[in-house]
Amino acid sequence: ETGEPDERFDAVQVPLHPTASMALAPANRRLPPGILWLLQSPENGKLIYRMLQTYANGFHQLLVGEHGAGKSTIGGAVQELAGGPGLYFVPIYEGKSVDSITFQQEMGANGVGFKTGYRLGPVLRAMLDGGQGKPVGFDEPNQADSETNAALNDLLSSGEINSPDNTLYTAGRGFWFLGYMNKPGEYGVHDQSAEWFERFVIDEVGPLPMASQVVFAAEYGRRNGRQV
């Protein structure tokens, strides 16, 4: 209708978590509402397709864009599509310890830490969830301190992480590091080394064209029973 050539997308086979709606019996399969809403925009559709390609090929993903561009909204919808409900989301900020996201020390009844006890943090739970792992979203991973950054780098390069008692944990096929960060230099965001960025497939999330914004506004109003 527009005179532009048709765009065709090859099928992408991603490691769906057993709880993902698209992994259920055929009669119960459905796309999550968040994905359906985002697919109202062709720009979002292309980005989601590239993200699924990245996931299918075993690479980790970084979404970069201005504050409020929709990075975590798009990423969360893709997380739900591939990993089902119960999203793993890890906000990173300066001073956040590596223990808080990997191996959290168990605390006694009086608030005293046990000498050897620990429980798995969100990163480890995402690595092992359902026996195959599932995606985990990281907000501003470039804000991590040196210790947390080193642990995440080791995990991304090897797919493994050692516990305090030297138990080796290996990430399942479905584990996926999905980072959301503002552009370096904005909102106090630190830049990272070229080696750090090379661990990711990077996509920029920019503002939508006006036509897509109008469609989004209308769909938002329909979903929330409001006139926009």
Side-chain angles (χ1 to χ4, degrees):
E1 295 178 358
T2 63
E4 297 292 329
D6 291 338
E7 290 188 275
R8 300 186 182 276
F9 299 90
D10 294 331
V12 176
Q13 186 172 358
V14 298
L16 293 175
H17 191 270
T19 62
S21 58
M22 293 300 291
L24 302 177
N28 298 321
R29 288 178 190 166
R30 56 179 177 77
L31 286 172
I35 284 286
L36 290 173
W37 179 50
L38 289 168
L39 290 178
Q40 298 288 325
S41 158
E43 293 78 16
N44 284 337
K46 294 174 185 177
L47 174 58
I48 289 169
Y49 177 72
R50 290 197 303 271
M51 292 172 67
L52 292 175
Q53 282 184 314
T54 300
Y55 186 33
N57 287 304
F59 296 104
H60 297 290
Q61 176 84 52
L62 193 62
L63 298 181
V64 179
E66 296 179 0
H67 181 72
K71 302 179 293 292
S72 58
T73 299
I74 294 172
V78 175
Q79 277 187 259
E80 184 181 6
L81 174 66
L87 305 186
Y88 290 102
F89 181 77
V90 181
I92 300 292
Y93 47 83
E94 291 188 52
K96 191 177 186 71
S97 70
V98 65
D99 293 342
S100 66
I101 64 173
T102 54
F103 301 99
Q104 301 170 338
Q105 187 179 33
E106 288 280 16
M107 302 302 290
N110 297 322
V112 178
F114 296 126
K115 292 183 178 180
T116 58
Y118 63 86
R119 56 192 173 91
L120 302 184
V123 173
L124 269 294
R125 296 199 302 273
M127 287 171 57
L128 307 172
D129 197 302
Q132 72 170 53
K134 63 192 301 184
V136 55
F138 288 84
D139 190 35
E140 300 299 341
N142 55 310
Q143 296 280 22
D145 61 24
S146 57
E147 186 180 13
T148 304
N149 205 22
L152 292 177
N153 272 328
D154 288 344
L155 172 60
L156 292 174
S157 62
S158 68
E160 298 176 334
I161 191 167
N162 259 315
S163 72
D165 62 3
N166 288 323
T167 300
L168 184 65
Y169 289 86
T170 302
R173 172 68 179 87
F175 176 72
W176 189 31
F177 185 112
L178 182 53
Y180 319 122
M181 60 174 282
N182 295 322
K183 291 183 177 180
E186 296 181 347
Y187 306 97
V189 174
H190 305 309
D191 204 349
Q192 283 279 7
S193 66
E195 180 184 5
W196 189 84
F197 282 110
E198 286 173 0
R199 300 189 185 281
F200 301 95
V201 171
I202 302 174
D203 274 297
E204 183 173 358
V205 180
L208 293 174
M210 181 57 68
S212 293
Q213 291 184 40
V214 170
V215 171
F216 254 56
E219 179 63 13
Y220 176 85
R222 185 190 69 78
R223 285 162 57 96
N224 293 278
R226 299 176 181 177
Q227 184 175 359
V228 179

